[in-house]
Amino acid sequence: MTPSAASSLELNISGMTCASCAARLEKALNSLDGVTAAVNFATERATVAVPAGYDPQMLLDQVKKAGYTALLPQPDQHAAPADELELASLRTRLVVSIALATPVIAMAMIPALQFPYWQWVSLAPAAPVVGWAGWPFHAAAWTNLRHRAATMDTLISIGTLSAFLWSLYALFFGTAGHSHLHHGFTLTAAPGDPTGNIYLEVAAGVTLFVLAGRYFEKRAKRRTGAALHVLLELGAKDVAVLRPDRHGTEMRIPIEQLRVDDVFVVRPGEKIATDGIVVSGSSVVDAAMLTGESVPVEVGEGDAVTGATVNAGGRLVVRATRVGADTQLAQMARMVETAQSGKARVQRLADRVSGVFVPIVVAIGLATLAGWLVAGSGVAAAFSAAVAVLIIACPCALGLATPTALLVGTGRAAQLGILIKGPEVLESTRAVDTIVLDKTGTVTTGRMNLVDVVTAPGVDRATLLRYAGAVEYASEHPVAQAIVKAAGAELGALPAVEGFTNVQGKGLHGVVDGHTVVVGRESLLADWSQYLDPALIPELVTVKGRAESEGKTAVVVGWDGSARGILVIADTVKPTSAEAVRQLKRLGLTPVLLTGDNETVADRIASELRIAHVIAEVLPADKVAVIARLQSDGKVVAMVGDGVNDAAALATADLGLAMGTGTDVAIEAADLTLVCGDLRAAVDAIRLSRKTLAVIKMNLFWAFGYNVAAIPLAAAGLLNPMLAGAAMAFSSVFVVANSLRLRSFASAVRSGDMG
């Protein structure tokens, strides 16, 4: 990508720690003349529109000026290497912190371990934990300070540095360095010199706990951009091209070398390399991966085909009409990325609370310092009380509040077949009031099934299935495979067929047990003088008409000069879907059925599920518009889908839920994955997410509440370090115990309990 040709650039951003960082960086980029930028905290990417000839280095410099770092992605790069490096750095810092902070905390909390000069021994491992391992928090706090903002990083940095620097002062210039220092058990601070107290365990412990939470959150967030990579991997890797200068012989080349108007071959079972027009041949194309609909598409000369769909029938020769970034698959990838970039930015609860809490604490600390000085106390006592306020304001339990609830909640979710990507997902579930359900593969099986068998008078069901199954056995058509599967399950082995012939677009015929059997459309049987006469076989005519009016496929079977029966094929509703819809309604959600199928089929499925709102005949590219329209009407929208065509809509929705039985692209684009493919798991997902969020809120309340209660004691000079340590330990135990309650969450799938 050259600067002179660039009208749009993408930057890989590192250093953002919260949604407010993304907002500040976006504001900084947009302040440049002619630049329009959108920064996505989830994917850690900035999409920037610039004038022609704009120097990208100006963007990189502006990002650096704002306190972050940026890189231009390499060609075909869909995951920022900086992201991997940042995750590896966090992992290293966490491992080192665990090794060094554990003995520091143990010596401070267990009096029996406090040997002579133990405090000096604690200083050695505490220093690298606070300084090196905690550096990301300090750097982020400095960036926030420059922008006059306060987040959780600000709180962590102020608290840990205050605790550590005061401990250094107490050790080197106070009385805490003597050989017999112990953390006592008195409820108030001991009279005398306040410089006899140290808080190394607070500084090291808070750094460790918060670093652990940040690492696990970062690891979960890293997967957000994987949908784009998976989507682009769906296409063919190489293609058999017919070269005119090679006398029509095939030459297999990498897909990147394919050009518009090249003619290529697609054999049965292969993916179609790119969008094009069929030059010769006829076949059945399985487009379900892109369109989401289970009904196969019959194509012949002059018909358009789409790249990445599967040729399920005969040999096709196709002329390429769109390649590379112009294909429908590439357009879907851009839609997914655009949807993810436009996703509502959810700021962490801890950051929102910290934005108010930190300025108040700093003000109280300054007021404490001034108050003690005005009261005539010594400078050491005044500074001791002020620093104690800052130290106690750093909540040890805050580092455990979110990760422990997530760990337990996501673990329980995994047991129930639900994968939750990150804490921001939980925020999205609380206000959802509308749930959009993709039809095929979500509420239905997504496969063609034999749903009805109707025979003419004098013909038994077994014979009809036997003859039809034998003829269809030689076909690769999905409708044929549905008949064969049902016949084989009911009858066992099927007889051999002789003289098998495929009549393109009409059906099949062959000889079974000495009878010439014709299976297919009514027009094919008419060619064999086998008519559906309403006067002779009215039941067959009625069944065929009713099936087609409901959007089902009616296959006519005949032999020995007469039509003998009708086989009705359709995609069927999953057995658990109706119950799932009822449970979703009990949660206060309004279900909406969304499908690219015709209105007749959609209305039939909706009627069976008792869904009042139906949106049918929607093209894959229009699903995003449907979600956006609902959101513009004030709805908070969740969507459940399973196909590639659902990926952008899943990313656009306030909450995306992917069926684990669907495509990898849908799974990567969604916020939650329902592994089992049971729609009732969506009910569990929403209920468990809401409950986990409630536990996180309770944990945060307790973490901050303890500090709020202790700040007056610190300001009054009554805070004993051992009491503070014990209270911090208790608050952490409470947070863990509260989070463990999520293990008892009852599944609606297994118990039907909606409590």
Side-chain angles (χ1 to χ4, degrees):
M1 181 181 295
T2 62
S4 59
S7 59
S8 179
L9 292 171
E10 286 190 345
L11 305 177
N12 293 327
I13 309 295
S14 60
M16 295 189 296
T17 60
C18 64
S20 59
C21 294
R24 286 198 298 270
L25 180 56
E26 188 172 291
K27 182 178 180 180
L29 289 171
N30 284 325
S31 67
L32 297 174
D33 291 338
V35 172
T36 303
V39 180
N40 188 337
F41 172 60
T43 60
E44 296 188 309
R45 303 184 77 164
T47 302
V48 189
V50 296
Y54 199 91
D55 185 2
Q57 187 60 44
M58 296 179 64
L59 300 175
L60 302 182
D61 292 341
Q62 185 72 354
V63 172
K64 185 177 181 181
K65 184 179 177 182
Y68 309 97
T69 57
L71 294 172
L72 287 169
Q74 300 300 315
D76 299 322
Q77 179 184 327
H78 305 288
D83 186 66
E84 295 292 338
L85 293 175
E86 190 174 353
L87 185 67
S89 175
L90 280 174
R91 184 188 304 113
T92 302
R93 293 176 194 273
L94 176 59
V95 171
V96 172
S97 295
I98 292 173
L100 297 181
T102 301
V104 175
I105 297 171
M107 282 188 284
M109 300 300 295
I110 304 174
L113 298 180
Q114 294 172 5
F115 51 85
Y117 296 112
W118 65 271
Q119 67 273 36
W120 292 99
V121 175
S122 294
L123 177 62
V129 172
V130 176
W132 176 77
W135 176 250
F137 308 130
H138 307 317
W142 174 246
T143 300
N144 293 331
L145 179 62
R146 289 169 53 197
H147 293 90
R148 299 179 181 179
T151 66
M152 181 176 170
D153 293 304
T154 311
L155 179 59
I156 298 304
S157 181
I158 289 177
T160 56
L161 287 179
S162 297
F164 184 74
L165 293 176
W166 176 261
S167 298
L168 286 181
Y169 174 79
L171 285 171
F172 285 96
F173 303 104
T175 60
H178 63 79
S179 62
H180 300 294
L181 176 71
H182 286 281
H183 277 178
F185 288 97
T186 57
L187 294 178
T188 61
D193 190 350
T195 61
N197 299 331
I198 63 170
Y199 301 91
L200 292 174
E201 79 284 0
V202 174
V206 169
T207 301
L208 169 61
F209 291 144
V210 178
L211 195 61
R214 188 65 54 84
Y215 168 73
F216 290 115
E217 180 182 347
K218 180 76 175 179
R219 190 174 67 172
K221 186 164 65 70
R222 180 187 57 174
R223 298 185 56 194
T224 304
L228 304 178
H229 178 73
V230 174
L231 185 56
L232 295 174
E233 287 291 313
L234 291 175
K237 303 299 184 293
D238 52 32
V239 55
V241 177
L242 294 178
R243 296 295 191 193
D245 57 343
R246 298 292 185 98
H247 307 289
T249 57
E250 297 180 18
M251 182 171 67
R252 190 161 288 276
I253 62 173
I255 191 65
E256 293 80 12
Q257 298 178 13
L258 189 65
R259 299 291 180 264
V260 173
D261 290 331
D262 281 351
V263 178
F264 59 93
V265 176
V266 188
R267 293 181 174 80
E270 287 186 339
K271 291 180 180 178
I272 297 175
T274 194
D275 299 354
I277 301 294
V278 177
V279 175
S280 64
S282 59
S283 183
V284 177
V285 173
D286 180 1
M289 182 186 66
L290 291 180
T291 67
E293 300 309 318
S294 58
V295 179
V297 180
E298 296 187 3
V299 297
E301 185 175 342
D303 291 333
V305 291
T306 305
T309 57
V310 179
N311 178 16
R315 181 179 184 269
L316 292 175
V317 178
V318 179
R319 178 175 58 83
T321 56
R322 292 185 295 188
V323 298
D326 296 326
T327 64
Q328 184 174 335
L329 184 65
Q331 290 171 6
M332 283 190 170
R334 287 196 293 273
M335 287 174 61
V336 171
E337 184 164 24
T338 300
Q340 289 182 332
S341 296
K343 196 106 173 183
R345 298 177 179 90
V346 180
Q347 192 179 24
R348 287 197 304 260
L349 281 173
D351 283 329
R352 293 206 297 270
V353 176
S354 298
V356 177
F357 187 71
V358 173
I360 292 176
V361 168
V362 172
I364 293 175
L366 293 175
T368 300
L369 176 64
W372 279 68
L373 290 175
V374 170
S377 300
V379 174
F383 269 98
S384 173
V387 171
V389 170
L390 298 180
I391 291 172
I392 199 60
C394 187
C396 212
L398 181 61
L400 294 172
T402 296
T404 52
L406 276 179
L407 183 64
V408 180
T410 54
R412 179 58 179 149
Q415 292 177 339
L416 302 177
I418 305 162
L419 303 181
I420 302 175
K421 283 193 174 177
E424 67 279 359
V425 173
L426 305 179
E427 294 242 6
S428 303
T429 65
R430 59 178 177 173
V432 167
D433 54 29
T434 302
I435 184 163
V436 176
L437 305 174
D438 171 59
K439 179 182 74 70
T440 307
T442 301
V443 299
T444 69
T445 62
R447 299 183 302 274
M448 303 300 286
N449 294 284
L450 180 64
V451 297
D452 199 7
V453 178
V454 182
T455 62
V459 179
D460 66 277
R461 174 189 173 97
T463 301
L464 184 70
L465 283 175
R466 174 182 171 85
Y467 287 176
V471 174
E472 297 281 22
Y473 189 82
S475 172
E476 297 177 345
H477 197 290
V479 170
Q481 294 303 307
I483 295 173
V484 172
K485 179 181 177 181
E490 189 168 324
L491 305 175
L494 298 173
V497 62
E498 299 175 1
F500 171 81
T501 303
N502 182 2
V503 182
Q504 181 60 38
K506 288 189 173 183
L508 317 163
H509 59 82
V511 178
V512 182
D513 294 343
H515 301 277
T516 299
V517 181
V518 185
V519 184
R521 299 183 185 273
E522 183 179 357
S523 58
L524 178 61
L525 272 74
D527 293 342
W528 287 75
S529 300
Q530 300 177 11
Y531 302 101
L532 286 177
D533 191 337
L536 298 177
I537 43 177
E539 56 271 81
L540 298 189
V541 176
T542 300
V543 168
K544 180 176 180 295
R546 182 172 66 247
E548 292 177 344
S549 69
E550 294 175 349
K552 300 175 182 177
T553 301
V555 178
V556 188
V557 184
W559 63 85
D560 293 346
S562 300
R564 305 289 181 169
I566 299 286
L567 302 177
V568 181
I569 312 297
D571 185 10
T572 56
V573 173
K574 293 179 180 177
T576 58
S577 292
E579 174 61 23
V581 170
R582 286 194 294 271
Q583 293 178 355
L584 289 169
K585 289 179 180 178
R586 291 176 195 166
L587 286 177
L589 306 181
T590 300
V592 177
L593 186 67
L594 180 67
T595 179
D597 220 331
N598 60 66
E599 289 188 6
T600 301
V601 175
D603 289 341
R604 172 176 61 86
I605 299 295
S607 176
E608 187 173 342
L609 296 174
R610 297 187 179 181
I611 296 177
H613 304 277
V614 182
I615 304 175
E617 300 182 11
V618 179
L619 296 175
D622 294 334
K623 289 189 174 183
V624 171
V626 170
I627 300 298
R629 185 171 70 248
L630 290 170
Q631 291 171 328
S632 66
D633 291 339
K635 307 294 185 184
V636 181
V637 183
M639 179 178 175
V640 189
D642 73 322
V644 172
N645 63 309
D646 299 323
L650 288 168
T652 302
D654 299 286
L655 178 68
L657 301 95
M659 307 298 282
T661 51
T663 62
D664 290 343
V665 178
I667 292 170
E668 294 294 350
D671 303 304
L672 296 166
T673 301
L674 314 177
V675 177
C676 61
D678 187 333
L679 188 58
R680 291 179 300 174
V683 181
D684 282 341
I686 293 174
R687 289 176 56 238
L688 180 55
S689 294
R690 288 177 175 177
K691 189 168 184 178
T692 303
L693 179 62
V695 168
I696 289 175
K697 287 182 176 180
M698 188 180 298
N699 287 349
L700 289 173
F701 172 80
W702 181 261
F704 281 106
Y706 150 74
N707 299 91
V708 170
I711 284 174
L713 295 177
L718 300 175
L719 189 67
N720 179 273
M722 194 61 202
L723 177 63
M728 282 189 173
F730 177 76
S731 65
S732 298
V733 170
F734 175 87
V735 163
V736 173
N738 189 46
S739 300
L740 289 175
R741 294 188 304 115
L742 291 169
R743 293 189 302 179
S744 62
F745 176 84
S747 166
V749 174
R750 299 175 185 177
S751 66
D753 176 24
M754 295 304 299

